[in-house]
Amino acid sequence: MFPLLRRTLISSLAFSSTPFSPPIANSLSRLYFMDSSAPKNFGASQKLMALAQQLRQYKPPPTPFDDDEEERKMEESAGKLVSQLGFAESVTPVAQQPPESFRPKRAAVLICLFEGDFGEYRVILTKRSSKLSTHSGEVSLPGGKAEETDANDAETATREANEEIGLDPSLVNVVTCLEPFLSKHLLRVIPVIGILSNKKDFSPSPNAAEVEAVFDAPLEMFLKDENRRSEEREWMGDKYLIHFFDYEMNDKKYLIWGLTAGVLIRAASIVYQKPPGFLEQNPKFKVPKVLKKDTIMP
């Protein structure tokens, strides 16, 4: 959906198997998970129920800023340009038009997992319409920007999935959220993991204005070094890798890359409880002191 860019807030921190990420705002991240005996688990296999139980125990890695007040202070300090440059405010354009501090808009994507014919975990993906003005024809997870009426990230993700591909939210058992990712256009994206107990209950009805195709892929492929390549990029002095996965289904070829690939690598690592079989190299992103509306990452 968006080219991969994930950040950590403190550039001096070393990489680890659970890299630091932006804090999840308390007001939007409270989830109400379904009990294992709830209707959404009706017909679920023992394997899916065990996975749901495992994922409910998952907690995103801690961050140096773990509450809204600390994040607010961080965001306010991000826009103080004049004092850092040493120019008098009265002689700079900033006096007339203050710089915009770092306040990324919020979005959520749905990682909807189900059990395949051979017992493997599979994830539902979409190919965006070629008529869209941005990211046209790219593979993405269902999802989109949060609306004021959304109670939390889970509601954003499931609402968008319903609008895009006709996936009824009542069929999805939301079990956890991952740490936020940052898109190329500085959109904070929260991956929401949900379980579809019975794939046969879902008959895709893609919104033609947004989605060209709906398909699924084995989640474990995002841990393997097969049909994968990567490109090195740089942001504010830090190098990182963007991953590309080639995938074919029903004689159709798909390229899964960028943010979507990064989210799925992370999700697969958590589900299978092991690291990928290749160098992931997430970036240690620093936030610019001032962001213009057209600021994007490479």
Side-chain angles (χ1 to χ4, degrees):
M1 181 175 185
F2 310 97
L4 165 69
L5 285 167
R6 184 176 174 191
R7 62 162 182 138
T8 62
L9 294 176
I10 304 299
S11 62
S12 61
L13 292 175
F15 292 127
S16 67
S17 59
T18 55
F20 284 85
S21 306
I24 303 178
N26 294 333
S27 60
L28 289 178
S29 298
R30 297 189 183 98
L31 297 177
Y32 300 91
F33 301 130
M34 300 297 294
D35 182 83
S36 60
S37 60
K40 289 185 182 182
N41 280 299
F42 180 77
S45 68
Q46 291 295 319
K47 184 173 183 178
L48 285 178
M49 292 181 69
L51 176 63
Q53 184 66 25
Q54 171 196 323
L55 292 177
R56 287 191 189 99
Q57 306 304 315
Y58 173 76
K59 302 296 181 184
T63 70
F65 304 96
D66 57 2
D67 59 45
D68 292 341
E69 178 63 18
E70 288 295 331
E71 185 176 8
R72 182 186 64 78
K73 292 177 181 178
M74 174 194 70
E75 291 176 347
E76 288 180 352
S77 66
K80 297 179 179 178
L81 171 67
V82 176
S83 62
Q84 292 180 19
L85 293 181
F87 295 113
E89 184 172 338
S90 59
V91 300
T92 67
V94 178
Q96 289 73 40
Q97 189 172 2
E100 183 177 347
S101 62
F102 182 64
R103 296 182 182 275
K105 292 184 178 180
R106 198 176 188 88
V109 293
L110 180 64
I111 305 171
C112 186
L113 303 177
F114 66 93
E115 190 173 356
D117 294 339
F118 300 100
E120 78 281 15
Y121 297 128
R122 302 185 71 85
V123 59
I124 296 174
L125 294 163
T126 71
K127 181 177 180 182
R128 289 168 59 85
S129 170
S130 57
K131 297 179 181 179
L132 291 173
S133 59
T134 59
H135 309 296
S136 60
E138 294 183 4
V139 170
S140 70
L141 290 158
K145 292 181 181 179
E147 295 184 354
E148 291 184 1
T149 55
D150 293 337
N152 49 48
D153 298 310
E155 187 168 317
T156 299
T158 54
R159 173 184 55 76
E160 286 284 340
N162 187 30
E163 294 174 1
E164 291 180 8
I165 62 176
L167 178 57
D168 189 335
S170 68
L171 298 176
V172 181
N173 181 17
V174 172
V175 290
T176 196
C177 284
L178 305 187
E179 59 270 28
F181 282 65
L182 199 64
S183 79
K184 179 175 182 177
H185 295 281
L186 305 180
L187 187 70
R188 180 176 293 178
V189 182
I190 313 298
V192 175
I193 298 184
I195 292 177
L196 178 63
S197 298
N198 190 344
K199 176 62 162 59
K200 294 180 181 178
D201 291 339
F202 170 50
S203 179
S205 54
N207 179 346
E210 298 184 50
V211 177
E212 185 176 304
V214 181
F215 66 101
D216 54 79
L219 183 65
E220 194 173 14
M221 70 174 276
F222 299 100
L223 295 179
K224 299 178 180 179
D225 201 17
E226 303 168 6
N227 302 315
R228 185 200 68 89
R229 63 186 186 278
S230 62
E231 291 181 5
E232 188 176 75
R233 303 286 175 89
E234 184 173 328
W235 171 250
M236 295 184 69
D238 288 323
K239 294 182 179 180
Y240 63 97
L241 294 177
I242 290 184
H243 300 275
F244 300 77
F245 292 86
D246 293 303
Y247 180 64
E248 185 171 346
M249 182 180 185
N250 298 330
D251 297 324
K252 293 183 179 179
K253 295 182 178 181
Y254 301 98
L255 178 63
I256 305 167
W257 70 288
L259 177 67
T260 300
V263 168
L264 291 173
I265 291 170
R266 182 64 181 147
S269 298
I270 293 167
V271 168
Y272 288 99
Q273 298 182 308
K274 62 181 181 181
F278 49 84
L279 179 63
E280 191 174 359
Q281 194 171 335
N282 293 309
K284 296 181 294 183
F285 280 122
K286 306 164 192 155
V287 178
K289 293 294 187 292
V290 177
L291 296 179
K292 297 180 181 178
K293 290 185 178 180
D294 57 351
T295 299
I296 62 173
M297 296 181 180

